[in-house]
Amino acid sequence: MEQIYKQSFKALSDMTEVIAERFFMAKRIQGIKSGEYLAEVDVNGDAYIQYLEKVNKAFDALNESEKNLINNEFFYQSYHNWWEPIYSKATFYRYKKQAMMKFLGAFYND
């Protein structure tokens, strides 16, 4: 977790974005597999299910405002600048960095 604290804002954002992209890929695989379209193809066992559980566990480690921030910024993106009525720009970036560090810490230190 200490390494996460040393990362730049951009690196934290990129790391969280990759997790979100892989989360949606795993969700698509889960949907395809549950539809039995991949009956003849083994998609790395159930690794995608473990990945989804790991992301959900990291998300559950956040408080409500952190969940809202991570969700709107990386997963189910809300409208552009959704945060403006809630936060000042400096406060938003400070909270976003804190939320990313907490999310990534929970994800990688599972």
Side-chain angles (χ1 to χ4, degrees), residues 1-2 4 54 57 101 103-110:
M1 177 115 158
E2 186 175 314
I4 290 172
K54 190 172 182 177
K57 186 175 178 181
M101 286 190 303
F103 176 76
L104 292 167
F107 181 82
Y108 288 114
N109 294 318
D110 171 311

Side-chain angles (χ1 to χ4, degrees), residues 15-52:
M15 292 166 66
T16 308
E17 184 66 37
V18 167
I19 290 171
E21 289 171 2
R22 290 178 181 166
F23 173 83
F24 288 112
M25 186 181 309
K27 293 281 279 185
R28 284 192 298 275
I29 292 169
Q30 182 182 37
I32 290 169
K33 220 170 171 182
S34 66
E36 298 184 14
Y37 296 113
L38 297 176
E40 296 128 18
V41 180
D42 183 21
V43 182
N44 205 12
D46 290 333
Y48 66 94
I49 292 172
Q50 293 170 347
Y51 190 83
L52 292 171

Side-chain angles (χ1 to χ4, degrees), residues 41-93:
V41 180
D42 183 21
V43 182
N44 205 12
D46 290 333
Y48 66 94
I49 292 172
Q50 293 170 347
Y51 190 83
L52 292 171
E53 290 171 356
K54 190 172 182 177
V55 172
N56 286 326
K57 186 175 178 181
F59 190 73
D60 288 342
L62 306 175
N63 66 37
E64 289 304 314
S65 62
E66 292 164 338
K67 285 179 182 180
N68 184 48
L69 203 149
I70 293 294
N71 191 42
N72 280 317
E73 285 294 296
F74 298 100
F75 287 88
Y76 298 100
Q77 282 117 8
S78 193
Y79 59 91
H80 183 66
N81 293 338
W82 63 272
W83 50 268
E84 285 181 340
I86 304 168
Y87 306 111
S88 71
K89 191 172 189 174
T91 300
F92 168 70
Y93 283 104

